[in-house]
Amino acid sequence: MEVSKKNKLNKIVKEIETCQACNLCKNRIKSVVSRGNENAKIILIGEAPGKLENEIGKPFVGKSGQQLNDLLSKVGFNPEQDIYFCNVVKCRPVRNNKDRKPNKQEIEACVKYLNAQIEIVKPEIIILCGNTAKKIFKINKPLKMVHGSCIDYKGIKLIPVYHPRASIIDEVKFNDLKKVKKLRG
Ligand code: SF4
């Protein structure tokens, strides 16, 4: 009998809950693995959990998550149905009690989990939300040059977009997500 996506993903969740592969495990209240639908054709990858995500155990649940949900709904997505949300790293990077970007070692230690999630979910489209997510796929041009473009990666369409926190007008973020909606239909 074929093991379901859910079972495969649950196995990863269990591994992450006890992972000590980098120092970020010391900040972990809850591991932050995913939300949304594992059968969706779109994965959206952010950077790392923030304070609220660490407490709740789900990605994109804070203020920027709400902004993102609003934009996705506005372009016609049902976020929980149409998208599988996750981050590059699964535990919260923090300095002086404030969120920070994950460093190279932390990303290298954690990226195996993201790769496993992509392998299991098998998306047609990956939305790369912010710089950290885009760099994982070796897209090194600045976001201002590549946001909203479609880049092929092993048959998957990669679409870099601005993070909801980025100081860019909402119209730009909206238009990029609209392109994703057009591709998906
Ligand atoms: S961030 Fe990733 S690699 Fe580091 S402890 Fe958490 S799950 Fe493990």
Side-chain angles (χ1 to χ4, degrees), residues 16 19-25 28 89-91 106 109-110 113:
I16 292 173
C19 178
Q20 298 190 351
C22 81
N23 276 334
L24 297 186
C25 64
R28 183 169 59 222
V89 300
K90 315 304 185 194
C91 307
E106 291 156 355
C110 206
Y113 297 122

Side-chain angles (χ1 to χ4, degrees), residues 66-75 170 173-174 177:
Q66 189 55 55
Q67 285 171 321
L68 181 63
N69 260 14
D70 289 348
L71 283 167
L72 288 165
S73 303
K74 241 182 175 175
V75 298
D170 275 358
K173 298 174 191 170
F174 174 82
L177 292 174

Side-chain angles (χ1 to χ4, degrees), residues 2 4 32 36 43 51 53 74 88 98 108 110 115 118 140 143 146 164-165:
E2 207 198 324
S4 73
V32 180
I43 291 187
K51 187 172 185 292
E53 282 84 5
K74 241 182 175 175
V88 173
K98 289 206 171 116
E108 280 172 6
C110 206
N115 288 335
I118 295 169
N140 294 320
L143 256 179
V146 294
R165 266 197 319 261

Side-chain angles (χ1 to χ4, degrees), residues 96-155:
N96 300 330
N97 220 16
K98 289 206 171 116
D99 295 337
R100 64 162 171 82
K101 284 184 172 299
N103 65 34
K104 196 165 171 265
Q105 289 75 19
E106 291 156 355
I107 292 170
E108 280 172 6
C110 206
V111 76
K112 63 182 177 203
Y113 297 122
L114 175 65
N115 288 335
Q117 287 172 297
I118 295 169
E119 181 68 27
I120 294 166
V121 173
K122 298 196 188 314
E124 289 172 9
I125 295 172
I126 300 181
I127 304 173
L128 302 169
C129 197
N131 260 314
T132 302
K134 131 181 131 39
K135 281 188 187 156
I136 292 290
F137 292 89
K138 314 252 180 291
I139 302 170
N140 294 320
K141 286 184 182 164
L143 256 179
K144 66 179 177 193
M145 288 174 71
V146 294
H147 73 93
S149 60
C150 183
I151 299 151
D152 180 72
Y153 170 78
K154 298 181 182 173

